[in-house]
Amino acid sequence: MKCVLFYHAFTSCWNNGNAHFLRGYARELHALGHEVVVFEPVDGWSRLNAIRESGSQALQDIGRLFPGVSIRRYDASLDFDEALDGADLVIVHEWNSPEVIEQIGYRRAHGAPFTLLFHDTHHRAITAPDELAQFDLDAFDGVLAFGEVLRQIYMKLGWGDRAYTWHEAADTAMYHPLPYVERTDDLVWIGNWGDGERSAELNEFLVEPVAELGLRANVYGVRYSDDALQTIQAAGIRYGGWLPAHWAPVAFAGARATVHVPRGPYVRSLPGIPTIRVFEALACGIPLVSAPWSDEEGLFPDGAYLQAANGAEMKRALRAVLDDRELSAAMVATGLRTIRERHTCRHRAQQLVGIVEAIRASDTSSRPERYIGASA
């Protein structure tokens, strides 16, 4: 297939965790023999912030790390007919503008023969349905929801068997153990402080345990307020700023443990959906302790990570992981096995191909044979 993917950013992962999975499954689609073209806006805020913070080097690395994936930046003058010419599969992520979604949907509705899928990786279908309502999805063939609970929402909205659960996964070509890196730190956390969605949780499950246990810890991420920086520095935690995703494996390899602190809206509204960092941390072979979240879909078996119900349990769990080498080794082994057997981007790319084949087989009448080229 010729796969054309529209995302907010591919070259930049600044406050854009979706880029991790996008890169991984794009890599695997190419490895499976498909042509992959990714479109990103030239003025996307993730890309501009990354350049502003760290220059262009981290972004320039991406082309080298993902050979075979064609990356095309566009502005308001994009010719959509040309961009979509010859496409067999088009995926549009929910971070695109309503205008981009409308333009692509218009062409599908007026004869474009590609299969058109909407990729949703956000909680706003529940927390801000008015924002989702801005998107004209009538011409889309299906929705890729990054968790079963989100798929159920789309089913209630009338998508029926055209909504598919498509979890994120680890790009194991990039995220894997690095045994030659010395583990000099006790703990590392990679994540964005953000807009207050998990400030209380970060204090309870990260900052306070590190301070009370006297751990040597590093945190990386963006959108840390002055108050947040003062809080972590007062706890003796070193702040490393933005860490491009492809540098994260080295950070994981240099620490003896990490933690998972999901945002409140996901825990409350979208149970069963972990952050991408869970997949990546386990793929890198670092023991993980999680703040409360419900693995309702059974993504991970017992022993892949530890879960702490509160700050006191987090301290006990971290102490156990750091002190008990057998426990730590068993967690690493279980986590690695789980990722390699179930949660790689190769698994998701193969699943995606199967979804496309099922859509085409189930309703061939909805796929026009001839594209009636016209502009919206």
Side-chain angles (χ1 to χ4, degrees):
M1 296 185 295
K2 178 178 180 180
C3 308
V4 180
L5 317 176
F6 278 80
Y7 279 73
H8 171 71
F10 185 90
T11 53
S12 173
C13 62
W14 192 97
N15 198 44
N16 177 25
N18 301 121
H20 307 199
F21 179 54
L22 164 60
R23 293 168 178 174
Y25 86 78
R27 179 207 302 281
E28 296 300 338
L29 283 174
H30 173 70
L32 290 171
H34 305 289
E35 179 184 356
V36 182
V37 181
V38 179
F39 282 88
E40 63 175 10
V42 68
D43 59 350
W45 53 260
S46 177
R47 181 171 176 271
L48 295 181
N49 276 293
I51 294 173
R52 186 177 300 117
E53 181 162 333
S54 299
S56 61
Q57 181 56 53
L59 279 63
Q60 292 172 352
D61 290 344
I62 300 305
R64 174 179 57 82
L65 291 170
F66 297 88
V69 176
S70 177
I71 306 167
R72 302 180 188 177
R73 299 189 186 95
Y74 69 92
D75 57 22
S77 66
L78 176 67
D79 184 330
F80 281 89
D81 290 327
E82 180 180 345
L84 298 169
D85 184 47
D88 299 294
L89 169 65
V90 179
I91 299 179
V92 183
H93 186 250
E94 48 88 13
W95 270 13
N96 281 282
S97 69
E99 293 74 24
V100 167
I101 291 171
E102 180 183 9
Q103 287 279 354
I104 297 172
Y106 181 90
R107 283 154 176 80
R108 178 69 181 98
H110 287 78
F114 51 75
T115 300
L116 179 58
L117 301 176
F118 183 68
H119 186 198
D120 195 343
T121 59
H122 201 268
H123 56 69
R124 62 180 166 185
I126 297 175
T127 60
D130 54 322
E131 294 183 15
L132 186 65
Q134 297 177 27
F135 300 147
D136 183 358
L137 303 179
D138 287 348
F140 280 65
D141 295 290
V143 169
L144 301 170
F146 77 141
E148 175 62 19
V149 63
L150 186 59
R151 186 183 77 89
Q152 293 292 334
I153 296 298
Y154 275 96
M155 291 180 66
K156 292 177 182 178
L157 293 174
W159 286 84
D161 60 1
R162 295 185 299 141
Y164 303 87
T165 300
W166 198 48
H167 279 285
E168 295 178 317
D171 178 6
T172 51
M174 181 177 297
Y175 293 91
H176 52 79
L178 300 175
Y180 58 84
V181 176
E182 183 180 1
R183 296 189 184 274
T184 57
D185 294 315
D186 295 313
L187 184 140
V188 63
W189 187 71
I190 306 172
N192 305 326
W193 197 273
D195 51 10
E197 284 187 328
R198 56 178 168 185
S199 296
E201 292 89 344
L202 286 171
N203 276 297
E204 180 179 5
F205 292 98
L206 173 65
V207 177
E208 293 172 5
V210 167
E212 293 179 22
L213 292 173
L215 303 183
R216 181 179 177 86
N218 283 307
V219 302
Y220 299 91
V222 301
R223 298 173 65 201
Y224 280 67
S225 66
D226 289 340
D227 287 344
L229 291 174
Q230 291 174 7
T231 296
I232 64 172
Q233 289 166 359
I237 299 172
R238 296 181 298 280
Y239 173 61
W242 176 48
L243 187 72
H246 55 290
W247 297 352
V250 175
F252 280 135
R256 299 165 62 201
T258 189
V259 297
H260 172 227
V261 187
R263 288 179 169 84
Y266 289 100
V267 174
R268 294 187 296 272
S269 302
L270 294 177
I273 302 177
T275 69
I276 188 71
R277 294 294 185 191
V278 175
F279 298 110
E280 293 170 348
L282 297 184
C284 286
I286 183 172
L288 180 146
V289 183
S290 179
W293 79 282
S294 177
D295 183 10
E296 294 194 355
E297 296 183 55
L299 298 175
F300 308 102
D302 291 342
Y305 63 89
L306 301 182
Q307 183 154 290
N310 51 50
E313 286 192 10
M314 175 62 76
K315 285 189 293 183
R316 288 195 292 271
L318 286 174
R319 189 75 276 163
V321 167
L322 295 173
D323 291 346
D324 189 334
R325 291 188 177 183
E326 289 187 4
L327 170 64
S328 177
M331 291 171 63
V332 168
T334 302
L336 284 171
R337 184 174 62 254
T338 301
I339 296 299
R340 291 167 179 172
E341 293 179 354
R342 302 171 58 183
H343 300 308
T344 70
C345 285
R346 174 61 65 93
H347 289 114
R348 302 301 188 260
Q350 292 170 331
Q351 180 191 1
L352 176 62
V353 172
I355 288 171
V356 174
E357 291 175 346
I359 289 173
R360 292 177 174 176
S362 66
D363 191 7
T364 55
S365 63
S366 69
R367 296 192 296 113
E369 295 181 0
R370 187 171 65 87
Y371 176 23
I372 307 170
S375 297

